[in-house]
Amino acid sequence: MESQVSNADVESLQSNLISLDNTKTNGSGPLTSTDPDQPLEMVEKILNYKFKDKSLLLEAFTDTSCDEDFSNERLEFIGDTILNTIVTIYIFNLYPRESPGSLTNLRAVNVDTEKLARVAVKHNLHRCLRHKKALLDNQILEFVEAIEKHPTLHSRGLVKVPKSLANIVESTIGALFMDCNSIETVWKVIKPLLEPIIHLDKLEIHPVTELYEMCQKRNLKLEAKDTWKENKEYCFYIQDKLVGRGDHRIKKETARNCAAKDAIANFSTFFGNH
Protein backbone atom coordinates (compact mmCIF):
# COMPACT_ATOMS: atom_id res chain seq x y z
CA MET A 1 0.00 0.00 0.00
CA GLU A 2 1.28 3.44 -0.85
CA SER A 3 0.92 6.26 1.62
CA GLN A 4 -1.81 8.77 0.85
CA VAL A 5 0.60 11.69 1.32
CA SER A 6 3.65 12.14 -0.85
CA ASN A 7 7.12 12.47 0.63
CA ALA A 8 7.31 15.91 -0.94
CA ASP A 9 4.59 17.07 1.45
CA VAL A 10 6.35 15.86 4.57
CA GLU A 11 8.87 18.66 4.97
CA SER A 12 6.31 21.43 4.52
CA LEU A 13 3.86 19.85 6.95
CA GLN A 14 6.39 18.60 9.46
CA SER A 15 6.72 21.89 11.33
CA ASN A 16 2.97 21.90 11.98
CA LEU A 17 2.94 18.48 13.64
CA ILE A 18 2.18 19.86 17.11
CA SER A 19 -1.18 19.68 18.86
CA LEU A 20 -0.62 21.01 22.37
CA ASP A 21 0.36 24.65 22.63
CA ASN A 22 3.09 26.24 24.73
CA THR A 23 0.99 26.39 27.89
CA LYS A 24 -0.03 22.73 27.98
CA THR A 25 2.14 20.07 29.58
CA ASN A 26 1.90 16.42 30.47
CA GLY A 27 4.24 16.47 33.43
CA SER A 28 7.46 16.47 31.43
CA GLY A 29 7.38 20.00 30.08
CA PRO A 30 5.60 21.63 27.15
CA LEU A 31 6.29 20.82 23.55
CA THR A 32 6.84 24.12 21.77
CA SER A 33 7.65 25.14 18.24
CA THR A 34 11.23 25.72 19.36
CA ASP A 35 11.73 22.14 20.54
CA PRO A 36 15.13 21.01 19.18
CA ASP A 37 13.68 17.80 17.75
CA GLN A 38 11.30 18.00 14.83
CA PRO A 39 8.09 16.14 15.72
CA LEU A 40 8.61 13.32 13.20
CA GLU A 41 12.12 12.80 14.49
CA MET A 42 10.76 12.92 18.03
CA VAL A 43 8.42 10.02 17.25
CA GLU A 44 11.25 8.05 15.68
CA LYS A 45 13.29 8.53 18.84
CA ILE A 46 10.38 7.40 20.99
CA LEU A 47 9.99 4.29 18.85
CA ASN A 48 13.72 3.77 18.37
CA TYR A 49 12.94 3.11 14.72
CA LYS A 50 13.83 4.99 11.54
CA PHE A 51 11.10 5.07 8.92
CA LYS A 52 12.04 4.44 5.33
CA ASP A 53 8.83 6.22 4.27
CA LYS A 54 8.35 9.16 6.61
CA SER A 55 5.07 10.09 4.95
CA LEU A 56 3.53 7.07 6.69
CA LEU A 57 4.50 8.58 10.02
CA LEU A 58 2.99 11.93 9.10
CA GLU A 59 -0.18 10.16 8.04
CA ALA A 60 -0.30 8.27 11.34
CA PHE A 61 -0.37 11.50 13.34
CA THR A 62 -2.89 13.41 11.22
CA ASP A 63 -6.43 13.39 12.60
CA THR A 64 -9.45 13.50 10.29
CA SER A 65 -10.29 16.94 11.71
CA CYS A 66 -7.32 18.45 9.85
CA ASP A 67 -9.26 18.41 6.57
CA GLU A 68 -6.28 17.06 4.67
CA ASP A 69 -6.45 14.66 1.74
CA PHE A 70 -5.19 12.00 4.14
CA SER A 71 -5.71 10.98 7.77
CA ASN A 72 -4.73 8.23 10.15
CA GLU A 73 -7.98 6.27 9.81
CA ARG A 74 -6.67 3.63 7.40
CA LEU A 75 -3.46 3.11 9.35
CA GLU A 76 -5.51 2.91 12.54
CA PHE A 77 -7.61 0.18 10.92
CA ILE A 78 -4.65 -2.01 10.04
CA GLY A 79 -2.82 -1.14 13.28
CA ASP A 80 -5.76 -2.39 15.33
CA THR A 81 -5.59 -5.74 13.52
CA ILE A 82 -1.81 -6.03 13.89
CA LEU A 83 -1.94 -5.10 17.58
CA ASN A 84 -4.58 -7.72 18.33
CA THR A 85 -2.54 -10.30 16.43
CA ILE A 86 0.79 -9.68 18.15
CA VAL A 87 -0.73 -9.48 21.63
CA THR A 88 -2.69 -12.67 20.95
CA ILE A 89 0.49 -14.50 19.91
CA TYR A 90 2.36 -13.18 22.94
CA ILE A 91 -0.18 -14.26 25.55
CA PHE A 92 -0.91 -17.54 23.73
CA ASN A 93 2.75 -18.52 24.05
CA LEU A 94 3.07 -17.08 27.56
CA TYR A 95 0.12 -19.09 28.94
CA PRO A 96 0.05 -22.46 27.10
CA ARG A 97 -2.53 -23.98 29.47
CA GLU A 98 -4.99 -21.10 29.77
CA SER A 99 -8.49 -21.31 28.33
CA PRO A 100 -9.52 -19.16 25.33
CA GLY A 101 -11.87 -17.25 27.64
CA SER A 102 -9.06 -16.18 29.98
CA LEU A 103 -6.82 -15.28 27.05
CA THR A 104 -9.61 -13.22 25.47
CA ASN A 105 -10.09 -11.21 28.67
CA LEU A 106 -6.35 -10.70 29.01
CA ARG A 107 -5.97 -9.54 25.43
CA ALA A 108 -8.93 -7.18 25.75
CA VAL A 109 -7.52 -5.30 28.73
CA ASN A 110 -4.12 -4.96 27.03
CA VAL A 111 -5.46 -3.45 23.80
CA ASP A 112 -8.46 -1.45 24.99
CA THR A 113 -8.84 2.31 24.71
CA GLU A 114 -7.61 3.21 28.18
CA LYS A 115 -4.51 1.02 28.06
CA LEU A 116 -3.49 2.46 24.69
CA ALA A 117 -4.27 6.02 25.79
CA ARG A 118 -1.97 5.53 28.79
CA VAL A 119 0.74 4.37 26.36
CA ALA A 120 0.31 7.50 24.24
CA VAL A 121 0.62 9.82 27.25
CA LYS A 122 3.46 7.92 28.94
CA HIS A 123 5.61 8.13 25.82
CA ASN A 124 4.53 11.64 24.71
CA LEU A 125 3.01 10.46 21.45
CA HIS A 126 -0.03 12.65 22.05
CA ARG A 127 2.11 15.76 21.81
CA CYS A 128 2.73 15.09 18.13
CA LEU A 129 -0.89 14.69 17.03
CA ARG A 130 -2.13 17.09 14.36
CA HIS A 131 -5.79 17.94 14.90
CA LYS A 132 -8.38 20.73 14.88
CA LYS A 133 -10.71 19.42 17.57
CA ALA A 134 -11.63 22.33 19.82
CA LEU A 135 -11.98 20.34 23.04
CA LEU A 136 -9.38 17.62 22.56
CA ASP A 137 -6.41 19.35 24.23
CA ASN A 138 -8.43 19.96 27.39
CA GLN A 139 -9.75 16.39 27.31
CA ILE A 140 -6.19 15.10 27.10
CA LEU A 141 -5.14 17.24 30.04
CA GLU A 142 -8.10 15.98 32.07
CA PHE A 143 -7.10 12.42 31.22
CA VAL A 144 -3.51 13.06 32.30
CA GLU A 145 -4.73 14.44 35.63
CA ALA A 146 -7.15 11.53 36.05
CA ILE A 147 -4.56 8.80 35.57
CA GLU A 148 -2.35 10.49 38.13
CA LYS A 149 -5.17 9.73 40.58
CA HIS A 150 -5.44 6.18 39.19
CA PRO A 151 -1.80 5.21 38.65
CA THR A 152 -2.53 1.48 38.37
CA LEU A 153 -2.30 -0.30 35.03
CA HIS A 154 -6.00 0.23 34.38
CA SER A 155 -8.79 2.15 36.13
CA ARG A 156 -11.49 -0.27 34.90
CA GLY A 157 -13.58 2.52 33.44
CA LEU A 158 -13.16 5.08 36.21
CA VAL A 159 -11.57 7.71 33.95
CA LYS A 160 -12.86 9.30 30.76
CA VAL A 161 -10.55 8.47 27.87
CA PRO A 162 -10.13 10.56 24.68
CA LYS A 163 -10.28 7.90 21.97
CA SER A 164 -7.92 9.95 19.79
CA LEU A 165 -5.08 8.91 22.12
CA ALA A 166 -5.68 5.23 21.50
CA ASN A 167 -6.13 5.90 17.79
CA ILE A 168 -2.62 7.30 17.36
CA VAL A 169 -1.08 4.25 19.01
CA GLU A 170 -2.97 2.01 16.58
CA SER A 171 -2.14 4.21 13.58
CA THR A 172 1.53 4.23 14.63
CA ILE A 173 1.49 0.45 14.68
CA GLY A 174 -0.14 0.48 11.26
CA ALA A 175 2.52 2.83 9.92
CA LEU A 176 5.25 0.62 11.36
CA PHE A 177 3.85 -2.48 9.73
CA MET A 178 3.43 -0.81 6.34
CA ASP A 179 7.00 0.50 6.54
CA CYS A 180 8.71 -2.77 7.56
CA ASN A 181 6.17 -5.41 6.47
CA SER A 182 7.17 -7.53 9.47
CA ILE A 183 5.03 -8.48 12.45
CA GLU A 184 8.20 -9.52 14.30
CA THR A 185 9.73 -6.05 13.83
CA VAL A 186 6.52 -4.33 14.92
CA TRP A 187 6.45 -6.39 18.12
CA LYS A 188 10.11 -5.62 18.83
CA VAL A 189 9.43 -1.88 18.47
CA ILE A 190 6.05 -1.73 20.20
CA LYS A 191 6.50 -4.12 23.13
CA PRO A 192 8.66 -1.67 25.16
CA LEU A 193 5.95 0.98 24.74
CA LEU A 194 3.20 -1.38 25.90
CA GLU A 195 5.07 -2.27 29.08
CA PRO A 196 4.03 -3.02 31.67
CA ILE A 197 1.86 -5.55 29.86
CA ILE A 198 -0.97 -6.71 32.09
CA HIS A 199 -0.53 -10.38 33.00
CA LEU A 200 -3.06 -12.80 34.43
CA ASP A 201 -1.96 -12.24 38.02
CA LYS A 202 -2.65 -8.51 37.56
CA LEU A 203 -5.92 -8.94 35.71
CA GLU A 204 -8.64 -7.38 37.82
CA ILE A 205 -12.25 -8.42 37.62
CA HIS A 206 -14.53 -5.62 36.44
CA PRO A 207 -15.99 -4.01 39.59
CA VAL A 208 -19.60 -4.62 38.56
CA THR A 209 -18.85 -8.28 37.81
CA GLU A 210 -17.02 -8.64 41.12
CA LEU A 211 -19.93 -7.12 43.03
CA TYR A 212 -22.45 -9.44 41.38
CA GLU A 213 -20.25 -12.47 42.15
CA MET A 214 -19.89 -11.41 45.79
CA CYS A 215 -23.67 -11.18 46.16
CA GLN A 216 -24.31 -14.46 44.38
CA LYS A 217 -21.92 -16.31 46.72
CA ARG A 218 -23.83 -14.99 49.74
CA ASN A 219 -27.24 -15.31 48.07
CA LEU A 220 -27.84 -11.58 48.58
CA LYS A 221 -30.26 -9.53 46.51
CA LEU A 222 -28.46 -6.87 44.47
CA GLU A 223 -30.32 -4.02 42.81
CA ALA A 224 -29.06 -1.12 40.75
CA LYS A 225 -30.67 2.30 40.79
CA ASP A 226 -29.83 4.45 37.79
CA THR A 227 -30.54 8.13 38.37
CA TRP A 228 -27.73 9.36 36.17
CA LYS A 229 -29.99 11.37 33.85
CA GLU A 230 -31.49 13.20 36.82
CA ASN A 231 -28.52 13.79 39.14
CA LYS A 232 -25.49 12.07 37.51
CA GLU A 233 -25.57 9.32 40.17
CA TYR A 234 -25.68 5.55 40.12
CA CYS A 235 -26.36 3.43 43.22
CA PHE A 236 -26.25 -0.21 44.26
CA TYR A 237 -28.58 -1.62 46.91
CA ILE A 238 -27.92 -4.96 48.60
CA GLN A 239 -30.79 -6.44 50.62
CA ASP A 240 -32.55 -3.08 50.15
CA LYS A 241 -29.64 -1.22 51.80
CA LEU A 242 -27.74 1.51 50.00
CA VAL A 243 -24.20 0.11 49.91
CA GLY A 244 -22.55 1.89 46.98
CA ARG A 245 -22.95 5.28 45.35
CA GLY A 246 -21.04 6.78 42.43
CA ASP A 247 -21.32 9.91 40.36
CA HIS A 248 -19.78 11.28 37.21
CA ARG A 249 -21.00 14.31 35.30
CA ILE A 250 -20.01 13.08 31.83
CA LYS A 251 -20.17 9.30 31.65
CA LYS A 252 -22.79 7.02 33.21
CA GLU A 253 -20.55 3.97 32.92
CA THR A 254 -17.95 5.67 35.09
CA ALA A 255 -20.58 6.53 37.70
CA ARG A 256 -21.70 2.89 37.64
CA ASN A 257 -18.16 1.59 38.08
CA CYS A 258 -17.53 4.03 40.93
CA ALA A 259 -20.72 2.86 42.63
CA ALA A 260 -19.65 -0.77 42.29
CA LYS A 261 -16.23 -0.03 43.75
CA ASP A 262 -17.86 1.85 46.61
CA ALA A 263 -20.18 -1.09 47.28
CA ILE A 264 -17.27 -3.54 47.29
CA ALA A 265 -15.38 -1.33 49.75
CA ASN A 266 -18.46 -1.13 52.03
CA PHE A 267 -19.49 -4.77 51.67
CA SER A 268 -17.80 -6.09 54.82
CA THR A 269 -19.25 -3.27 56.91
CA PHE A 270 -22.78 -4.38 56.03
CA PHE A 271 -22.36 -8.14 55.58
CA GLY A 272 -19.09 -9.19 57.19
CA ASN A 273 -15.91 -10.42 55.49
CA HIS A 274 -16.41 -11.99 52.09
Side-chain angles (χ1 to χ4, degrees):
M1 184 188 91
E2 292 185 0
S3 171
Q4 297 178 53
V5 55
S6 68
N7 281 316
D9 293 328
V10 174
E11 186 174 351
S12 62
L13 290 171
Q14 197 172 11
S15 61
N16 295 322
L17 191 57
I18 298 171
S19 72
L20 300 186
D21 64 31
N22 297 2
T23 65
K24 295 183 174 67
T25 71
N26 70 347
S28 58
L31 176 63
T32 71
S33 58
T34 58
D35 194 284
D37 292 328
Q38 287 289 335
L40 292 182
E41 294 173 354
M42 176 181 173
V43 176
E44 288 183 320
K45 287 184 177 182
I46 292 169
L47 300 177
N48 193 26
Y49 177 88
K50 286 289 185 181
F51 276 77
K52 297 185 287 290
D53 182 357
K54 295 187 187 298
S55 66
L56 283 167
L57 192 53
L58 179 65
E59 190 175 322
F61 282 84
T62 301
D63 186 80
T64 53
S65 62
C66 287
D67 298 324
E68 304 281 2
D69 293 333
F70 57 91
S71 75
N72 59 9
E73 281 188 322
R74 284 173 57 83
L75 291 177
E76 177 194 336
F77 167 75
I78 193 169
D80 174 65
T81 301
I82 297 299
L83 176 62
N84 275 275
T85 299
I86 57 181
V87 171
T88 298
I89 293 171
Y90 174 73
I91 62 175
F92 181 84
N93 291 327
L94 188 63
Y95 298 105
R97 298 184 182 277
E98 283 299 323
S99 68
S102 295
L103 295 179
T104 297
N105 292 336
L106 188 60
R107 177 184 62 193
V109 78
N110 274 292
V111 302
D112 75 358
T113 301
E114 182 180 334
K115 180 65 164 68
L116 298 184
R118 285 175 179 261
V119 169
V121 168
K122 179 180 179 180
H123 298 283
N124 292 322
L125 293 173
H126 65 299
R127 301 169 76 190
C128 298
L129 174 63
R130 299 175 68 230
H131 73 88
K132 293 182 180 178
K133 293 178 176 177
L135 302 177
L136 182 56
D137 287 349
N138 285 334
Q139 290 169 350
I140 291 174
L141 288 173
E142 287 176 3
F143 175 71
V144 171
E145 292 171 357
I147 61 177
E148 288 176 355
K149 299 176 183 177
H150 298 277
T152 55
L153 298 179
H154 206 291
S155 77
R156 304 303 302 182
L158 296 179
V159 301
K160 183 173 176 61
V161 185
K163 192 174 184 301
S164 295
L165 293 178
N167 291 349
I168 58 173
V169 175
E170 292 176 338
S171 61
T172 299
I173 292 171
L176 272 166
F177 179 73
M178 297 311 300
D179 194 66
C180 68
N181 196 30
S182 167
I183 287 180
E184 291 79 9
T185 299
V186 172
W187 181 239
K188 182 179 178 181
V189 172
I190 291 299
K191 185 174 183 289
L193 272 65
L194 297 178
E195 296 286 2
I197 294 172
I198 300 172
H199 291 162
L200 276 177
D201 61 338
K202 299 293 184 181
L203 183 61
E204 297 181 8
I205 301 174
H206 193 284
V208 177
T209 302
E210 184 178 356
L211 181 60
Y212 272 95
E213 290 179 353
M214 289 166 63
C215 291
Q216 286 176 350
K217 288 179 181 178
R218 299 282 292 271
N219 197 27
L220 299 173
K221 182 179 70 173
L222 174 65
E223 292 181 301
K225 185 176 181 181
D226 178 3
T227 60
W228 189 81
K229 286 186 178 180
E230 292 78 29
N231 59 10
K232 304 304 180 185
E233 284 191 355
Y234 202 102
C235 298
F236 282 103
Y237 289 78
I238 303 176
Q239 299 295 98
D240 299 320
K241 298 176 182 177
L242 175 59
V243 181
R245 177 189 284 116
D247 64 89
H248 196 272
R249 61 185 178 85
I250 298 175
K251 197 172 182 182
K252 182 173 77 171
E253 181 186 358
T254 302
R256 182 171 177 250
N257 292 340
C258 288
K261 280 185 170 285
D262 188 44
I264 292 168
N266 294 331
F267 191 91
S268 60
T269 302
F270 285 89
F271 307 105
N273 293 329
H274 56 283

